[in-house]
Amino acid sequence: MKHFLTFIFCVVTINLFAQKERYENLEIYKTKFDDAIPVLNVATFHMGETSDANSTDFDENDRKNQQEVKNLAKLLAEFKPTIIVIEDLPKNDSLRQISYSDYLKNPKKKFRNPSEIELLAYEVGRLSGAKKIYGIDFKESYNYNIKVENKVDKTTLNKYWKLSDENDAKNPENGIPFYDLFKLNNHPQYLESLININADLLTYISSKGNSEGADEAGKFYHRNLVMFSNLNQIPLDKNDRIFILMGGTHTAFFMDFLRRSPKFKLENTFDYLK
C-alpha cells in the first residue's frame, strides 16, 4: 500500500509539473480595452486597373467572376460590419459615400471599370447593412528595385528568391479557382511573405556603413503607418464593427498593427472563409 501511494504521488507531481505553463506563454498583461472594436482585416488582389507592379489576371466585367465575388461577399458579410474601410484616399470620401449610397439603393448598378471596392466591399456592406464607407490610403513612392554598388550582403536575396520560387511552385496563384486564390491571399504565411518582398528584403541591400535599402523600406513602412493613423481618425462607437479590404501587403502590416492595438480586436479571417 505504501509503495502504491508513493507511486500515485509521483504520478500526480509529474503531471502537475508537466501541466505548468511556461512563463513566456503566460498572459501577464491585459492588452485590449474592454470595449475593443472588432475588425475583420481582409486581403484581396486588385480586381480592376491597378498601378501596382504585380497584378492578377482577372476580368472584372465577366459575369461568372462577378457572381463568384458575390458568393464570397455573403461569407464575409456574416461578420456583420457597420463600417466599410477601403484602400482609397480619404479626400475621396464624399464622392465615394455618394457612389456607395447609390449602390445600396440599386445593387444592380453597373460600373464601367469596377474594382474590388465596387465588386466586393460594396456588396459586403450592402448585405450587412453598413451605411458608412471610408478610405484610408496614403500615397508615398519608394524604390523597391534599388541597385547598390559594392553591396555587402551578396547572398541573402538570391537565396530568398529561390525559396520564394519553391513556395510559388507549391502554391500557384495562376490557374486556380477564384475562392482558392482568395484564401491563399489571406494565409498568414503568404501575408508575411509580402512584407518581405515589398519591404524587409531591402534591408539586405546596402554598401558598407550605409543603409540605402532600409531608407527606401522605411518609406513603405511610413505609408502603412499613416494609413493606420487614418483608420484611427474614423469616428467610431463601441457598437461598431469594421471590415477592411485592401491589397495584401497593407493587410499584412495591419495584421501587426491591429494585433498590438488596444483599441481594436482582430478577427480571424478564416472564421469566415469557410
Side-chain angles (χ1 to χ4, degrees):
M1 184 66 178
K2 181 179 179 181
H3 292 297
F4 177 75
L5 291 175
T6 301
F7 172 76
I8 295 296
F9 175 79
C10 292
V11 170
V12 171
T13 301
I14 291 172
N15 284 337
L16 288 174
F17 182 79
Q19 292 173 7
K20 185 177 180 180
E21 194 169 3
R22 291 171 60 98
Y23 179 77
E24 68 267 26
N25 294 327
L26 295 177
E27 297 286 341
I28 63 171
Y29 278 33
K30 182 177 180 180
T31 61
K32 301 290 180 183
F33 299 149
D34 290 335
D35 58 352
I37 296 170
V39 179
L40 185 61
N41 181 40
V42 177
T44 180
F45 59 87
H46 293 297
M47 298 178 184
E49 296 179 1
T50 176
S51 59
D52 283 11
N54 297 312
S55 60
T56 298
D57 185 16
F58 180 84
D59 183 355
E60 64 273 13
N61 292 302
D62 179 79
R63 289 191 176 183
K64 179 177 179 294
N65 287 344
Q66 291 183 356
Q67 185 57 51
E68 289 187 317
V69 176
K70 287 183 182 295
N71 294 339
L72 172 64
K74 290 180 183 178
L75 297 177
L76 297 173
E78 292 181 15
F79 172 62
K80 302 189 184 306
T82 61
I83 289 176
I84 306 299
V85 174
I86 55 174
E87 189 179 337
D88 195 9
L89 296 172
K91 70 178 183 180
N92 297 331
D93 279 357
S94 295
L95 290 176
R96 178 65 67 182
Q97 186 65 52
I98 292 172
S99 172
Y100 177 57
S101 297
D102 287 346
Y103 179 81
L104 295 181
K105 296 172 186 175
N106 178 23
K108 293 185 179 180
K109 177 180 178 180
K110 301 296 182 183
F111 297 95
R112 180 174 297 178
N113 294 304
S115 69
E116 68 277 4
I117 295 174
E118 291 84 8
L119 293 174
L120 183 54
Y122 279 19
E123 183 67 0
V124 170
R126 184 187 74 83
L127 292 173
S128 59
K131 303 300 182 185
K132 296 291 185 179
I133 188 167
Y134 296 92
I136 60 170
D137 198 6
F138 173 75
K139 299 299 185 184
E140 183 169 4
S141 61
Y142 75 112
N143 184 5
Y144 52 83
N145 285 320
I146 186 172
K147 307 297 181 184
V148 174
E149 293 184 5
N150 301 317
K151 188 171 60 175
V152 175
D153 186 335
K154 295 180 173 60
T155 61
T156 300
L157 283 181
N158 288 336
K159 288 177 66 176
Y160 184 85
W161 292 127
K162 181 180 179 182
L163 178 65
S164 180
D165 288 343
E166 291 172 356
N167 286 327
D168 290 344
K170 294 177 182 177
N171 303 279
E173 295 186 51
N174 295 323
I176 65 175
F178 167 79
Y179 187 60
D180 291 342
L181 175 59
F182 206 85
K183 288 196 296 183
L184 172 62
N185 288 173
N186 281 275
H187 192 285
Q189 289 182 317
Y190 180 91
L191 292 175
E192 288 288 327
S193 76
L194 293 180
I195 294 181
N196 257 339
I197 291 169
N198 288 280
D200 288 3
L201 284 181
L202 288 170
T203 63
Y204 301 96
I205 302 175
S206 61
S207 57
K208 188 170 180 59
N210 297 300
S211 56
E212 296 94 337
D215 293 340
E216 295 301 315
K219 297 174 185 177
F220 194 64
Y221 267 78
H222 180 255
R223 179 185 175 188
N224 284 277
L225 285 168
V226 174
M227 290 172 69
F228 192 65
S229 174
N230 289 338
L231 174 67
N232 285 314
Q233 296 177 38
I234 294 175
L236 304 170
D237 66 44
K238 64 180 181 180
N239 296 316
D240 278 320
R241 300 171 64 84
I242 302 175
F243 172 77
I244 305 178
L245 185 70
M246 299 186 294
T249 310
H250 300 307
T251 301
F253 274 98
F254 270 55
M255 286 298 185
D256 284 340
F257 300 158
L258 292 164
R259 192 177 295 116
R260 290 192 296 268
S261 170
K263 178 180 177 179
F264 299 111
K265 180 172 62 176
L266 185 60
E267 296 283 317
N268 185 344
T269 305
F270 283 88
D271 286 345
Y272 302 92
L273 295 180
K274 300 169 185 176

